[in-house]
Amino acid sequence: MKNLEKLTAYMTEQNITHAFITTPENINYFSGFLSDPHERLTALYVTQHKASLIVPAMEVNDAINASNLNTVGYSDTEDAFQVAKRQLEIPDGAVMFIEEEHVTVKREKAIQLHFKPSALQSIDQIIKDMRNIKSEDEIALLKQAARYADQAVETGVAALKIGITEAEVVQIIESEMKRIEGISDMSFSTMVLFGDHAASPHGTPGGRTLNEDEYVLFDLGVIYKGYCSDITRTVAFGTPPQLHQDIHSIVTEANKRAIALVKPGVPIKDIDAAARDYIISKGYGDYFPHRLGHGLGISVHEFPDISSSNENTLQAGMVFTIEPGIYYPETVGVRVEDDILVTEDGYEVLTSYVK
């Protein structure tokens, strides 16, 4: 568990004595144990010398097998925080580092009541910075996840025919991909939008049927051995109108211009500007309403934010999306998205389906 070792080394260096991590993805990142606890508490309690999991009793064996960590279980009739306090001997008066972006008001009250910390501090940015730079093992998994995303688009394109519905294409893609060993799920709800339906950036696939000579927008990804991919391709079915083709060319060029700038040391906001300024120069700035991209890893949307407000610079080992789009109301929507790895001297595009 190299990630956990990195965390405890950082805690020792910064004199952080207690951390209480509750986000399922972060628990997985540090322990190897992933579950969906729903309303129940699952947590990783970390000191400079030891880490323990707190899980529902029904998941104790799974947690031990996945993590090999000391694991404390609690029944549905017990107070999880009270059990954690007693079994893990959490001392009163500690400065407790928690994920303030995840802990609810109810859980904060429980932490205050049972753990009696002298103060609560945020560990969110510390974890984001750790997850931001991927290891070689993580990069290998992200590359494979991206290859499967390419395959998923290929599967969807092969299914296109006049009269098929968006929902039917989604079902074909997801059914095919979930048969592949190592893929636990899609990264998010697969998006397949025909023609004017794609004019909504986050449209919902439904009963809309495919017509000749229109674009089809695919936005999808898979979770492969815990790591996510995310690709968007807008594919011509037949020969769409010239206006639609022009918009597709503009978005594709914006995608390529942003990617070409990627290398260590480049301000993230400059990547966004490369795509956005080009789209603005073509008169479509008002129709590009979202950031350029987002970090990618064990979550499909994670740190960093690839946007005009991000003053941070790119670093080798970062993986993120670049996904410019133009959405012309009630007419057409085009988005082209790739997964990008920052290398020591430039970049590698992990998604390769034709644009």
Side-chain angles (χ1 to χ4, degrees):
M1 288 180 284
K2 295 179 181 178
N3 295 332
L4 182 58
E5 291 172 3
K6 284 167 57 179
L7 177 61
T8 54
Y10 180 88
M11 289 174 62
T12 301
E13 178 187 319
Q14 298 296 321
N15 198 30
I16 297 171
T17 55
H18 300 81
F20 197 74
I21 297 167
T22 51
T23 304
E25 293 81 5
N26 286 337
I27 293 171
N28 177 37
Y29 182 73
F30 291 116
S31 74
F33 174 63
L34 178 63
S35 74
D36 182 357
H38 303 289
E39 77 282 1
R40 297 180 177 93
L41 175 73
T42 296
L44 178 67
Y45 173 60
V46 187
T47 68
Q48 294 175 1
H49 307 291
K50 187 176 181 180
S52 301
L53 284 166
I54 303 97
V55 304
M58 68 185 80
E59 296 187 354
V60 168
N61 288 338
D62 290 339
I64 293 172
N65 290 335
S67 70
N68 201 31
L69 291 177
N70 177 55
T71 301
V72 172
Y74 65 91
S75 72
D76 284 346
T77 58
E78 292 180 299
D79 186 313
F81 292 90
Q82 191 175 66
V83 172
K85 168 72 173 181
R86 181 180 67 253
Q87 295 292 329
L88 300 178
E89 299 179 345
I90 300 173
D92 293 348
V95 177
M96 185 72 69
F97 278 69
I98 63 170
E99 297 162 285
E100 65 178 6
E101 294 178 12
H102 184 255
V103 174
T104 63
V105 172
K106 180 179 180 179
R107 287 190 172 178
E108 182 183 348
K109 289 180 178 178
I111 289 170
Q112 296 280 12
L113 174 65
H114 295 293
F115 298 170
K116 297 179 174 58
S118 60
L120 295 177
Q121 298 287 336
S122 172
I123 199 172
D124 298 76
Q125 193 59 49
I126 294 168
I127 296 176
K128 287 177 182 179
D129 289 339
M130 291 182 65
R131 284 176 53 179
N132 189 27
I133 307 302
K134 271 61 179 183
S135 67
E136 290 184 5
D137 289 343
E138 289 179 297
I139 289 169
L141 293 173
L142 287 163
K143 286 182 176 181
Q144 185 59 57
R147 286 191 284 269
Y148 282 133
D150 290 330
Q151 182 178 330
V153 176
E154 184 177 355
T155 298
V157 171
L160 297 179
K161 61 183 179 181
I162 293 174
I164 197 169
T165 68
E166 297 165 333
E168 286 172 331
V169 179
V170 168
Q171 192 278 329
I172 290 168
I173 292 170
E174 294 195 349
S175 176
E176 181 68 23
M177 300 315 296
K178 290 177 182 179
R179 281 200 287 264
I180 297 173
E181 184 178 356
I183 294 179
S184 58
D185 206 345
M186 307 304 287
S187 299
F188 51 93
S189 297
T190 299
M191 190 182 301
V192 177
L193 302 171
F194 299 159
D196 59 320
H197 268 202
S200 171
H202 278 174
T204 302
R208 207 289 203 171
T209 57
L210 182 61
N211 301 315
E212 189 70 58
D213 300 332
E214 61 183 1
Y215 277 112
V216 178
L217 187 150
F218 296 90
D219 189 355
L220 54 84
V222 303
I223 304 173
Y224 175 71
K225 294 186 178 180
Y227 283 79
C228 299
S229 54
D230 188 0
I231 187 175
T232 307
R233 290 293 186 266
T234 309
V235 178
F237 183 76
T239 306
Q242 190 60 49
L243 171 66
H244 300 194
Q245 294 183 48
D246 292 344
I247 289 173
H248 189 279
S249 295
I250 292 167
V251 173
T252 302
E253 178 64 20
N255 167 275
K256 292 178 179 178
R257 289 185 178 214
I259 291 172
L261 278 186
V262 173
K263 65 179 180 180
V266 172
I268 289 175
K269 66 179 183 179
D270 289 359
I271 306 299
D272 183 284
R276 195 171 305 278
D277 290 351
Y278 180 73
I279 290 174
I280 290 171
S281 75
K282 296 298 182 179
Y284 289 98
D286 291 341
Y287 304 106
F288 179 17
H290 55 74
R291 64 188 178 184
L292 183 64
H294 53 81
L296 191 65
I298 58 176
S299 301
V300 71
H301 280 204
E302 62 181 48
F303 184 80
D305 183 44
I306 309 299
S307 72
S308 59
S309 64
N310 195 332
E311 302 280 349
N312 295 323
T313 57
L314 298 177
Q315 302 175 61
M318 291 171 59
V319 178
F320 55 86
T321 68
I322 286 181
E323 49 183 300
I326 293 175
Y327 313 92
Y328 204 70
E330 300 179 2
T331 304
V332 67
V334 174
R335 184 164 62 253
V336 177
E337 175 184 22
D338 286 297
D339 300 346
I340 311 297
L341 165 67
V342 184
T343 63
E344 292 296 334
D345 57 0
Y347 64 87
E348 182 179 346
V349 183
L350 306 186
T351 39
S352 60
Y353 192 88
V354 64
K355 300 177 188 179

